[in-house]
Amino acid sequence: MSVPDLIAAPLLIGGSALIALGSLGLIRFPDVLTRMHAATKAATLGVVATTVAAAVEAGALGGILILVLVVALLFLSGPLGMSLLARVALTTPRRCCHPTPGRCLLPRLLRSRLSHCLAGAPAGSWASCSVRSGSPSSGRWNLT
Amino acid sequence: MVLATNVAAFLLLLAAAGAVVRVVRGPSVADRMVALDTLLFIGVAGIGTFIVRTGDTTYVAVLVVAVLTAFVSTVVVARYIEAEMDRR
């Protein structure tokens, strides 16, 4: 392994692990703001680490410059967009974050496996997914 | 480097599966938007892994487009939720 390889490999694996942890938080956390917290911070840092690893490994100078531009764009646009989304999710009343209307996104075969999510809901809707009476912050923010 | 990129690709696959679960399940539009944003970032990281694997910088422009698309889509969906609330 050469010197760029030795720099890039830990950045790559660490960045991918950070993205995987952010995705785990996206699954496990109870409401919108905490999910946003996991996805924005961990995943953004992971993507930046992966991009830096790519810049270390890239052969051409033009590619390296564009990858530096990508890192700058990530640090600028990620917090900006997510703060907009968080402001909207925080200031709008309960009915704002209703479940997306429409039919179930999954085919019938998968739908039976997700029956715990759909229990008691009208056919083909996701309504019961939004009921989180045990969620600690649902009373505070009225988000879920 | 083959081992490192393989491990990274596997971790990114797990992360993408988690984000897809949140896109399908997540109760509100904001949840789905956060998950889709994460999914696009996972795609960016995947292309970065490809660059590390091959040293080929052909797809670097795709990274810029993907990051800007993530930003614009987040802003548009935030505006959509806001407008939807004003309408009711």
Side-chain angles (χ1 to χ4, degrees):
Chain A
M1 288 177 74
S2 59
V3 176
D5 283 359
L6 286 179
I7 300 173
L11 277 176
L12 193 64
I13 294 180
S16 303
L18 272 177
I19 295 174
L21 284 179
S23 183
L24 181 68
L26 204 59
I27 300 177
R28 295 291 299 161
F29 280 157
D31 71 3
V32 170
L33 295 178
T34 50
R35 282 171 198 152
M36 214 173 276
H37 156 84
T40 307
K41 278 193 275 206
T44 302
L45 193 59
V47 172
V48 166
T50 312
T51 313
V52 169
V56 169
E57 281 287 322
L61 181 64
I64 295 173
L65 287 180
I66 297 180
L67 285 172
V68 172
L69 175 68
V70 167
V71 171
L73 282 177
L74 276 170
F75 273 134
L76 276 178
S77 72
L80 207 55
M82 276 302 155
S83 69
L84 272 177
L85 199 58
R87 185 173 58 91
V88 168
L90 193 59
T91 54
T92 43
R94 179 189 184 87
R95 62 176 188 270
C96 112
C97 290
H98 62 82
T100 310
R103 298 185 62 79
C104 181
L105 300 173
L106 291 179
R108 192 173 296 276
L109 188 73
L110 272 178
R111 214 181 296 174
S112 61
R113 291 172 185 262
L114 286 176
S115 56
H116 65 280
C117 180
L118 295 171
S125 82
W126 286 96
S128 73
C129 294
S130 68
V131 179
R132 291 179 174 276
S133 54
S135 170
S137 56
S138 63
R140 264 175 78 201
W141 303 115
N142 283 333
L143 280 179
T144 54
Chain B
M1 269 335 257
V2 173
L3 178 66
T5 47
N6 279 342
V7 171
F10 179 68
L11 288 172
L12 288 178
L13 187 67
L14 288 182
V20 166
V21 165
R22 184 47 70 196
V23 169
V24 173
R25 280 194 62 181
S28 69
V29 180
D31 284 308
R32 294 196 165 95
M33 195 55 234
V34 174
L36 282 175
D37 209 48
T38 308
L39 207 54
L40 211 46
F41 279 174
I42 290 169
V44 170
I47 297 176
T49 308
F50 174 79
I51 293 172
V52 172
R53 176 87 166 231
T54 62
D56 181 14
T57 53
T58 310
Y59 297 110
V60 162
V62 180
L63 295 184
V64 182
V65 174
V67 171
L68 287 179
T69 306
F71 173 62
V72 171
S73 62
T74 308
V75 172
V76 165
V77 169
R79 298 293 300 220
Y80 162 73
I81 298 174
E82 223 170 9
E84 191 77 3
M85 277 320 92
D86 291 343
R87 203 165 56 84
R88 292 183 184 210

